[in-house]
Amino acid sequence: MKIYIYSLVLCVFFVSCGKKDKIEREINETSVTIKVERFDKIFFETAPENLSEVKKQFPYFFPVGNDDQVWIDKMTNPQWRELYGEVEKKFNDLSPVTTDLTDLVKRMKYYFPETKTPKLVTVISEMDYTNKSIYADSLVIVSLELYLGKEHRFYQFPNYIKANFEPKQIMPDVVNSFANGKIKPQKSKNFITKIVQEGKKLYLKDVLLPSYSDEDKMGYTAEQLKWCQENESYMWRYFIERELLYSDDAKLSSRFIEPAPFSKFYLEIDNESPGRVGAWIGWQIVRSYMNSNESPLQQLLDMDAKELFEKSKYKPKK
């Protein structure tokens, strides 16, 4: 009997490995060529009197109603030009970013066949860290000034925000933006729904960015990830005992889901905890569901969050 069970497990293992190898071959065989347009470089290296040429090439960056002097002032402003100089030093060679995006788009096309091959457009924007990289159907727009490295002297942001101002975060940020158009919105606004929705985003990174570490997918340090792993059972018990799972309290988002220096249990452990632990728990719930179900990816992303949680059989690791 033991031999039979061992043989069955071994058979399932080889079938699973064979399926993964087949998927990887099909992904690698997908032909993708990413066109790159350095709007940042073109803009700052164009003479002010030739601004009209830039506007013709990139009309979507020049809203109607803005006076040309606004753009000319930006072209010639010493601080903006210094920032452009820093970006140019860091990203003079954009091939690593292009290679990573090519690999990512191949996976997008495999799992979402309707995906178009986007053009990569690099910009220097207004330091808007909530929109560092934007996936917009046929465009991927990357604000390079927000990936100069967390210790860059230009950054006057709290540590928990600038911690992810690293080049390695470009693709996770692109997937975050891509996910917004793929994950079905939910009517319910309770806590379990919100964390499962965040978990779907992170699971999408598992699928589309398989070579990335869990730290990079979450935007955590190794220590922050370890804290979550070691305190998973405690956090889950906290949510259960305080009846938070089905609570509609809007403050739970800022306490456990949104970017923050730490999560707010209102206990001594707050200072040790990373922010967004609710999103991390949601990720483990979605992983638990997918470990025991063969749901197609889009079906998972469309699935009712409460139903997914109930079918996940999630149990925190002790």
Side-chain angles (χ1 to χ4, degrees):
M1 184 64 178
K2 288 183 179 179
I3 294 175
Y4 171 76
I5 294 173
Y6 175 76
S7 299
L8 183 61
V9 170
L10 202 61
C11 180
V12 170
F13 172 77
F14 282 120
V15 168
S16 176
C17 288
K19 184 178 179 181
K20 288 180 180 178
D21 289 343
K22 181 176 181 292
I23 289 173
E24 288 303 312
R25 280 198 305 272
E26 291 182 13
I27 289 172
N28 290 331
E29 289 169 1
T30 303
S31 178
V32 170
T33 301
I34 301 293
K35 183 179 179 182
V36 180
E37 290 188 344
R38 292 290 306 268
F39 172 75
D40 55 313
K41 191 177 183 73
I42 293 169
F43 180 83
F44 283 104
E45 294 188 4
T46 295
E49 59 268 24
N50 297 323
L51 174 63
S52 59
E53 296 176 12
V54 183
K55 292 175 70 175
K56 286 179 183 178
Q57 188 176 351
F58 300 95
Y60 41 86
F61 287 138
F62 296 92
V64 176
N66 280 7
D67 191 278
D68 281 359
Q69 192 60 45
V70 172
W71 308 112
I72 292 172
D73 288 346
K74 186 171 182 178
M75 281 177 159
T76 57
N77 182 286
Q79 290 181 318
W80 279 106
R81 297 202 64 81
E82 185 181 5
L83 178 57
Y84 166 63
E86 294 297 298
V87 168
E88 185 62 13
K89 281 193 293 186
K90 185 76 173 181
F91 294 102
N92 183 48
D93 178 11
L94 209 62
S95 58
V97 178
T98 307
T99 298
D100 289 347
L101 183 58
T102 300
D103 292 342
L104 172 58
V105 172
K106 285 182 177 182
R107 291 184 179 278
M108 288 175 172
K109 283 180 171 288
Y110 178 83
Y111 291 101
F112 306 95
E114 74 283 1
T115 301
K116 299 176 184 177
T117 300
K119 182 192 302 180
L120 172 61
V121 182
T122 61
V123 302
I124 296 176
S125 58
E126 304 286 337
M127 292 277 186
D128 178 7
Y129 62 83
T130 62
N131 290 294
K132 293 157 66 185
S133 290
I134 299 172
Y135 176 91
D137 189 36
S138 60
L139 295 175
V140 169
I141 302 171
V142 177
S143 297
L144 292 179
E145 85 280 6
L146 289 166
Y147 297 100
L148 297 176
K150 62 184 178 182
E151 300 300 335
H152 197 279
R153 59 191 171 84
F154 279 2
Y155 295 148
Q156 303 297 315
F157 296 97
N159 288 336
Y160 76 94
I161 291 176
K162 67 181 182 180
N164 288 304
F165 287 6
E166 299 285 346
K168 67 181 179 180
Q169 277 299 310
I170 294 176
M171 293 308 124
D173 288 343
V174 171
V175 175
N176 273 341
S177 182
F178 179 76
N180 291 333
K182 296 299 178 184
I183 297 175
K184 184 178 180 179
Q186 304 279 299
K187 291 181 180 179
S188 175
K189 301 299 180 185
N190 59 33
F191 186 56
I192 189 64
T193 295
K194 290 179 179 178
I195 66 173
V196 168
Q197 290 294 91
E198 291 298 314
K200 290 178 184 178
K201 287 184 182 180
L202 289 159
Y203 187 80
L204 194 55
K205 293 181 184 179
D206 285 339
V207 175
L208 298 179
L209 299 172
S211 65
Y212 281 62
S213 68
D214 281 5
E215 295 99 299
D216 288 340
K217 293 170 190 172
M218 271 298 298
Y220 275 177
T221 63
E223 292 74 19
Q224 288 173 323
L225 182 67
K226 184 180 179 182
W227 190 95
C228 287
Q229 293 167 337
E230 291 178 346
N231 290 277
E232 182 177 358
S233 181
Y234 173 81
M235 290 190 289
W236 187 244
R237 189 167 67 250
Y238 179 94
F239 295 155
I240 295 293
E241 289 176 352
R242 286 160 178 77
E243 300 181 346
L244 300 183
L245 294 187
Y246 295 100
S247 170
D248 292 329
D249 184 356
K251 292 180 181 179
L252 292 173
S253 291
S254 60
R255 289 175 62 188
F256 300 113
I257 298 175
E258 297 169 7
F262 52 84
S263 294
K264 300 176 181 67
F265 295 90
Y266 302 136
L267 298 169
E268 287 186 11
I269 64 167
D270 285 6
N271 291 330
E272 302 169 6
S273 70
R276 304 189 68 233
V277 297
W280 187 85
I281 290 286
W283 190 12
Q284 309 320 303
I285 291 171
V286 175
R287 281 176 164 176
S288 178
Y289 172 81
M290 290 301 285
N291 283 340
S292 55
N293 292 274
E294 289 286 332
S295 294
L297 185 56
Q298 188 60 63
Q299 182 178 316
L300 169 75
L301 302 181
D302 290 342
M303 192 173 181
D304 178 77
K306 180 174 179 288
E307 179 187 359
L308 188 156
F309 164 60
E310 291 172 348
K311 291 182 177 179
S312 71
K313 300 178 183 177
Y314 168 70
K315 290 184 179 179
K317 297 179 181 66
K318 296 182 180 179

